[in-house]
Amino acid sequence: MVGLWFLYWLLLVPIAIANGAARELTFGKRLPELRAHQLSTLTGTILFAVYYWVLSFFWQISSYSEAFAIGLFWLALTVLFEFVFGHYVMKHPWSRLLADYNLARGRLWVLVLIWTFLGPAMVRGFSLLG
């Protein structure tokens, strides 16, 4: 079961990469970095919501408690990926990675993490609607 949870989380990675690439190739060139980050957060959450909706057609999550357990797993994987990939592959300093958690400075990364955590509950909710 955890293997399936991991697989569905893994499919979020190319969505996030595509969102970041789209930002850099389009509005990221025209907007200040903070505004581009904020807009990218919005487009990323929309893309994730579409992904959750598509998942709901073939992934049945039995309860909301299971959905929140999956969400916690996805959240942990996302944070782990962000710090391991960001620091060791992209060579970003820890201070830069941690700066994305500063809501007071307009950094909205935390909203992506919340959305990732809530994703499986959204999958369950969408499947109950259909």
Side-chain angles (χ1 to χ4, degrees):
M1 185 65 95
V2 172
L4 185 64
W5 298 0
F6 179 75
L7 173 66
Y8 289 149
W9 171 82
L10 201 56
L11 294 173
L12 287 168
V13 175
I15 295 169
I17 291 170
N19 184 57
R23 176 188 64 213
E24 294 305 313
L25 295 172
T26 59
F27 58 86
K29 294 179 178 182
R30 294 176 188 83
L31 295 175
E33 193 280 330
L34 179 60
R35 291 291 176 243
H37 161 79
Q38 292 168 337
L39 183 56
S40 181
T41 299
L42 176 64
T43 59
T45 55
I46 290 169
L47 291 171
F48 280 15
V50 170
Y51 174 68
Y52 301 151
W53 175 72
V54 169
L55 271 180
S56 73
F57 288 102
F58 54 88
W59 187 24
Q60 300 301 312
I61 299 175
S62 62
S63 68
Y64 280 107
S65 59
E66 179 184 7
F68 289 125
I70 297 166
L72 190 59
F73 179 68
W74 282 10
L75 175 63
L77 287 173
T78 302
V79 171
L80 181 67
F81 178 82
E82 175 197 9
F83 282 103
V84 169
F85 184 81
H87 184 72
Y88 295 105
V89 176
M90 298 302 294
K91 305 295 185 196
H92 296 311
W94 296 115
S95 59
R96 178 176 174 184
L97 296 171
L98 290 170
D100 274 337
Y101 288 81
N102 192 341
L103 281 171
R105 294 197 176 235
R107 306 304 294 188
L108 302 178
W109 175 246
V110 172
L111 300 178
V112 174
L113 296 178
I114 292 168
W115 200 240
T116 302
F117 170 72
L118 293 175
M122 289 181 62
V123 170
R124 172 149 172 81
F126 286 141
S127 66
L128 293 175
L129 293 174

